[in-house]
Amino acid sequence: MSIDKIAQSLGVEMSDSYREQMMEKERWLKLADAPFLYRHYKVNYDGNIYISQQCIADRNALLFDQFQYEAEEAQVNTDTWCVGVWVKVRAIINGKEHSVRQYGVHAISKLRGDAKPGGDAMEQAIKSAVSDGMKKCSSWLGIAAHIYRGEVISIRANRNKEGQPQSKFYLQNLEKFGLSEYEYKYGIPVLPDSFKSFYEKMDWTDGIFYSDVFGYKENREDERIPSEKTEKAQERGEVESSAFINDMQANYLRGLIHDFNENAQEADIVQAIIAYLVKRKVDVVQEAEEMGRRFTTVEALPSAHFTSVHRYFKQLRRARLENTEEKSA
């Protein structure tokens, strides 16, 4: 996001010195939040995306003039067998000191049947909780912030108690991309299409992107969703408006719902949309039939409801990511 564009939109005038100062911050944040190699994105047992502490530390060493951290005494919750610790990071960026304090958490592993975990497991969990806190602090300073914004998602394995994957969508994509189930045990990372240009310029060829998985093109300005200008043009009759959503819009909705439930079949997705519209007192099944189609596939959604449906499920995804952020490894 450009500071110049923000200032112009707000009608705020900036002096040349202040503009240069803000643009320097903008440039630094772009470097801090640059994508990582695809193999550096991992999925933890909860299905959340993370990057290893070493990769974050490497980025910190590259960009921070100085960097140090302090960890307070770890707290152990014996009801849930989880470790929590406050971590404080001090970093000097472009000659200025910054300080951030965040709470790191990690579950303590214990053998099945044991009443409590062993000493080694406790020690490892404390180290992991400290690493979690450090990564969260780094993200507040701009490092890999896209992880915490939820821009990288996962196709989850949804393993049962026996360790068998229950997600057909996960298995289909393992086969599609020739991936090892061992290497991608808990899920497959999926990158936003806005990373593609960077990957090409870096000569990185191993990324898996939204459009590879969900079959739509995702642009930085979210162009797959009709813009306000397009909608106004449709109202004026300058652009032909279809009665039903197109394939690209349908795949977009499928992608949103698969982010909550990789096992969702077409009928499940249709029912989820129907349930939402019923709350809005819309009988979409009858409406679609009156327009000449049966609402048994996502493409049969009348286009008039696309905006509200996609906003609703997008908000659900955002809320879910915010609620599970504390579980990120």
Side-chain angles (χ1 to χ4, degrees):
M1 184 180 294
S2 168
I3 187 65
D4 270 337
K5 188 172 183 179
I6 294 173
Q8 291 172 7
S9 299
L10 294 173
V12 174
E13 294 185 7
M14 295 190 297
S15 65
D16 290 342
S17 61
Y18 185 67
R19 177 180 285 107
E20 180 57 34
Q21 180 184 351
M22 295 300 292
M23 290 182 69
E24 181 63 29
K25 290 182 180 179
E26 197 174 289
R27 288 190 287 268
W28 192 91
L29 286 172
K30 285 183 178 179
L31 291 171
D33 197 30
F36 289 72
L37 282 162
Y38 182 72
R39 65 176 178 269
H40 291 166
Y41 294 99
K42 305 293 183 181
V43 182
N44 68 11
Y45 61 91
D46 281 330
N48 297 311
I49 298 291
Y50 73 97
I51 296 175
S52 72
Q53 175 59 36
Q54 187 58 55
C55 292
I56 298 295
D58 291 345
R59 182 70 62 88
N60 289 350
L62 181 66
L63 292 174
F64 295 140
D65 300 335
Q66 292 182 27
F67 178 82
Q68 64 180 21
Y69 77 93
E70 300 172 0
E72 299 178 8
E73 184 177 353
Q75 303 296 319
V76 178
N77 185 327
T78 56
D79 292 330
T80 60
W81 288 114
C82 184
V83 172
V85 59
W86 283 101
V87 177
K88 187 175 184 179
V89 163
R90 292 187 178 90
I92 295 179
I93 303 171
N94 293 335
K96 295 183 178 180
E97 183 174 328
H98 300 262
S99 178
V100 180
R101 184 170 179 262
Q102 283 289 299
Y103 194 65
V105 295
H106 198 273
I108 307 171
S109 301
K110 64 186 183 73
L111 297 175
R112 185 178 298 176
D114 287 357
K116 60 181 181 178
D120 291 343
M122 184 80 72
E123 183 179 347
Q124 184 58 48
I126 293 173
K127 291 179 180 178
S128 296
V130 172
S131 293
D132 182 48
M134 289 176 63
K135 287 191 286 186
K136 288 176 179 176
C137 287
S138 296
S139 75
W140 276 61
L141 294 170
I143 303 294
H146 57 269
I147 293 294
Y148 293 88
R149 287 197 299 267
E151 294 179 16
V152 181
I153 64 174
S154 68
I155 302 173
R156 304 183 181 193
N158 289 344
R159 295 184 179 275
N160 58 20
K161 293 180 179 179
E162 288 71 38
Q164 299 301 314
Q166 302 302 295
S167 170
K168 293 180 180 178
F169 193 55
Y170 163 77
L171 294 171
Q172 289 167 358
N173 279 280
L174 279 181
E175 183 178 359
K176 178 179 178 180
F177 297 108
L179 303 178
S180 163
E181 185 177 344
Y182 175 79
E183 187 175 358
Y184 296 91
K185 182 177 181 180
Y186 295 115
I188 303 168
V190 184
L191 310 178
D193 281 15
S194 57
F195 285 14
K196 275 189 173 182
S197 176
F198 180 83
Y199 264 57
E200 290 169 359
K201 291 174 182 177
M202 294 294 291
D203 293 323
W204 296 347
T205 59
D206 59 346
I208 296 176
F209 301 91
Y210 288 4
S211 55
D212 299 327
V213 174
F214 301 119
Y216 61 75
K217 184 178 180 181
E218 191 264 355
N219 294 316
R220 184 171 299 175
E221 298 299 328
D222 216 11
E223 292 174 354
R224 67 187 181 277
I225 300 171
S227 67
E228 184 179 352
K229 290 182 179 179
T230 302
E231 290 175 345
K232 288 181 178 179
Q234 287 177 343
E235 291 174 4
R236 293 194 300 267
E238 296 173 5
V239 178
E240 183 179 356
S241 177
S242 174
F244 299 94
I245 64 173
N246 57 39
D247 290 343
M248 185 170 61
Q249 292 169 324
N251 283 327
Y252 171 66
L253 293 179
R254 290 186 181 103
L256 282 179
I257 295 175
H258 276 140
D259 195 30
F260 315 130
N261 178 11
E262 293 89 345
N263 291 316
Q265 303 298 311
E266 188 75 359
D268 302 321
I269 296 172
V270 168
Q271 287 301 316
I273 294 172
I274 290 173
Y276 162 67
L277 289 174
V278 164
K279 292 180 181 178
R280 294 176 57 88
K281 299 181 180 180
V282 174
D283 188 345
V284 68
V285 174
Q286 182 177 345
E287 185 176 327
E289 288 181 352
E290 290 175 353
M291 296 168 67
R293 296 184 66 174
R294 294 184 60 194
F295 189 44
T296 55
T297 64
V298 181
E299 287 88 352
L301 175 67
S303 57
H305 302 302
F306 175 73
T307 300
S308 66
V309 170
H310 93 72
R311 284 179 179 169
Y312 171 72
F313 286 108
K314 197 169 185 179
Q315 287 171 357
L316 278 184
R317 181 176 67 178
R318 185 181 298 114
R320 181 184 178 283
L321 289 168
E322 290 173 353
N323 290 336
T324 59
E325 182 178 293
E326 290 297 323
K327 295 182 180 179
S328 298

